[in-house]
Amino acid sequence: MGGKVVKTSDCSEHLGIKRTDGKEHNFNIKERIQTARRTKYALMGSGVHGTNGLNPAISYQIYKTYVIPRLTYGLEVLPLTKSNIEELEIFHRKNLRHLQSLPERTSNAVVLLLLGALPIEAEIHKRHLSLLYSIVSCDNSKIKDVMIRQIATNYDNKKSFFSRILNILEMYDLPSINYLQKNLPKRDIWKEEIKKKVNQYWNAQLKSEARNKTSLKNMNIENLEIGKTAQVWNLQNQPRLELRKAIIKARMMTGAYILQSDKHKFTHFVAEPLCQLCNTENEDIIHMVTSCPVLSTIREKYYVEMKMEILDSIDPIKWNTFCCNKMEITQLILDCNNFKETLNISSELMTKIEEKCRNLLFQLHAKRIEVLDALNNK
């Protein structure tokens, strides 16, 4: 044109979404992750990170407000593959681990449940359902004609939005498109219904996955809920030291705190499982919390405080019945929700016990590190 060569492009951008001849979802996934990563880095200065940052519950709300919308923008209109979804999930879970200072080996399900967070797949499904409402509720007859034609001709085409939305409606036991056309609820009622159904579905899915993890045997999985932060992160108006204590407790209760018995497994039985502090028993979480004689001074001081707090409020017979062995005591200290119903513990008492247990575990951790450092420096 005008003596100049007009270059053709195989990629263009429309409303923030890259359009290409093929596999445009791959281009957009990379773009969305890069944008979300830049957004998260920009928020780090305000304390949205792990240790020495904000309370994970607050950090997650900020992350949910600013990062997730940028990560999922426009993805509801693209035919994402399972590998695309998994790529987004890996990025999402990595961020949630970072906010909670949890290591990579922590169960995927509990990383989400501790914060009451949804997987990215669920967040994208919510955007699908929101777009569906906008289409059904619009007054444009041409758009509705396109919708009817697409449902009739592309109901089995996995690349079609309407094929995907039919599966999503069935997945969450939501009304069909035909029903919505005849009985369209108000937008706020529809949003509440979506939230309820999506939370119920993923709550069941994540709990089912968590129950099969032996690393979570000391946690009360049933007490965790989507949309509700776990008690371990209930740290409103607490000093930063309390956050560090809570991080240690979270690692212990999720089985991510490394002891000698863990090293023994990870090194294919090369490392000795014997406790390096006392050399009397294999060092697992029960030994550290209830048995190691080197930690007895710490244990006696802080464990007695916790026990007296409980006995001031409940019948001693209940204590002797339900907390009569080392495993039960360990489960109580790691997650007092294990005995909330059996001991009939009030919410106010639960908060006090949580604080005592958090302090006990942190002091045991600090003493253990101190003794190990002294042994290594000999």
Side-chain angles (χ1 to χ4, degrees):
M1 182 177 291
K4 296 182 180 179
V5 177
V6 178
K7 295 182 179 179
T8 60
S9 175
D10 59 358
C11 179
S12 62
E13 188 169 323
H14 177 64
L15 298 177
I17 301 173
K18 289 189 179 296
R19 314 300 297 194
T20 64
D21 292 335
K23 295 185 177 180
E24 61 186 12
H25 46 282
N26 292 335
F27 286 95
N28 283 283
I29 289 297
K30 292 178 181 178
E31 184 72 21
R32 295 276 74 78
I33 290 176
Q34 289 175 359
T35 302
R37 184 178 288 116
R38 288 195 296 267
T39 305
K40 183 174 179 292
Y41 287 159
L43 292 169
M44 283 186 175
S46 61
V48 182
H49 51 82
T51 308
N52 297 323
L54 294 171
N55 176 355
I58 297 173
S59 291
Y60 172 65
Q61 291 303 318
I62 298 173
Y63 172 84
K64 185 179 179 181
T65 302
Y66 293 99
V67 179
I68 289 181
R70 292 195 168 191
L71 181 62
T72 58
Y73 173 76
L75 297 184
E76 67 271 20
V77 301
L78 299 175
L80 303 181
T81 63
K82 289 184 178 180
S83 61
N84 294 146
I85 295 292
E86 184 56 26
E87 193 174 351
L88 293 166
E89 294 288 10
I90 289 171
F91 174 80
H92 181 53
R93 291 194 298 262
K94 182 179 180 180
N95 287 331
L96 297 187
R97 282 189 173 91
H98 186 212
L99 295 182
Q100 300 174 88
S101 297
L102 294 173
E104 186 65 29
R105 61 186 291 263
T106 311
S107 163
N108 291 337
V110 82
V111 166
L112 294 162
L113 286 170
L114 285 175
L115 289 172
L118 286 167
I120 283 300
E121 183 178 3
E123 297 287 355
I124 295 173
H125 286 170
K126 288 166 70 175
R127 297 182 74 92
H128 274 91
L129 293 165
S130 179
L131 176 57
L132 173 65
Y133 186 92
S134 297
I135 294 172
V136 174
S137 63
C138 78
D139 296 326
N140 191 316
S141 59
K142 291 185 178 179
I143 291 178
K144 290 192 174 182
D145 289 341
V146 169
M147 177 184 70
I148 294 170
R149 186 170 63 253
Q150 285 291 315
I151 293 172
T153 59
N154 282 324
Y155 66 91
D156 59 348
N157 181 0
K158 293 183 180 180
K159 293 185 178 181
S160 168
F161 169 80
F162 290 99
S163 173
R164 297 195 302 274
I165 201 66
L166 290 173
N167 292 330
I168 291 170
L169 290 171
E170 182 180 357
M171 179 179 179
Y172 295 116
D173 193 26
L174 288 164
S176 66
I177 295 177
N178 289 335
Y179 180 88
L180 290 173
Q181 286 178 302
K182 298 174 183 177
N183 305 278
L184 188 66
K186 293 182 178 179
R187 184 176 287 273
D188 56 344
I189 295 175
W190 178 243
K191 284 186 176 181
E192 283 301 315
E193 184 68 8
I194 291 173
K195 180 179 178 181
K196 176 184 174 183
K197 293 290 188 177
V198 171
N199 286 1
Q200 283 179 351
Y201 178 87
W202 288 104
N203 201 47
Q205 291 292 315
L206 293 173
K207 283 185 178 182
S208 177
E209 180 183 338
R211 291 188 196 102
N212 295 323
K213 300 293 183 181
T214 57
S215 59
L216 305 178
K217 62 185 177 182
N218 293 313
M219 283 187 67
N220 184 352
I221 299 299
E222 305 310 316
N223 190 63
L224 301 175
E225 299 286 342
I226 295 294
K228 174 185 172 185
T229 307
Q231 188 166 6
V232 69
W233 302 132
N234 186 16
L235 301 166
Q236 289 89 346
N237 302 319
Q238 295 283 353
R240 187 162 291 179
L241 177 60
E242 293 302 312
L243 173 58
R244 295 182 185 179
K245 294 178 182 179
I247 289 171
I248 296 300
K249 187 175 187 292
R251 290 178 180 178
M252 290 184 180
M253 66 193 290
T254 58
Y257 188 85
I258 303 296
L259 296 166
Q260 281 301 119
S261 59
D262 300 306
K263 291 181 180 179
H264 180 66
K265 295 175 185 177
F266 298 154
T267 60
H268 298 287
F269 315 118
V270 174
E272 289 294 328
L274 199 65
C275 176
Q276 294 184 334
L277 277 65
C278 65
N279 294 311
T280 58
E281 294 180 353
N282 289 349
E283 187 188 40
D284 57 14
I285 194 65
I286 295 177
H287 173 77
M288 178 187 172
V289 173
T290 65
S291 305
C292 185
V294 177
L295 303 176
S296 60
T297 304
I298 299 294
R299 191 180 302 111
E300 288 170 5
K301 178 181 178 182
Y302 294 97
Y303 173 72
V304 170
E305 288 182 7
M306 181 209 69
K307 184 177 179 180
M308 292 307 298
E309 190 76 55
I310 296 174
L311 291 177
D312 285 343
S313 303
I314 70 166
D315 188 340
I317 296 176
K318 285 187 176 182
W319 173 269
N320 294 329
T321 302
F322 297 108
C323 301
C324 57
N325 60 54
K326 291 180 180 180
M327 178 174 287
E328 290 171 345
I329 291 172
T330 301
Q331 290 177 338
L332 172 67
I333 293 171
L334 291 178
D335 187 0
C336 50
N337 284 292
N338 285 310
F339 295 88
K340 183 177 181 179
E341 294 182 2
T342 54
L343 296 180
N344 195 23
I345 302 174
S346 65
S347 298
E348 183 180 354
L349 180 58
M350 285 287 289
T351 302
K352 293 180 180 179
I353 296 173
E354 179 71 21
E355 184 179 350
K356 298 290 184 183
C357 293
R358 186 167 63 233
N359 200 30
L360 166 61
L361 293 172
F362 182 77
Q363 296 299 332
L364 290 173
H365 159 76
K367 183 65 176 178
R368 177 177 180 271
I369 296 300
E370 179 187 332
V371 175
L372 287 176
D373 286 344
L375 291 173
N376 292 332
N377 291 331
K378 282 185 178 180

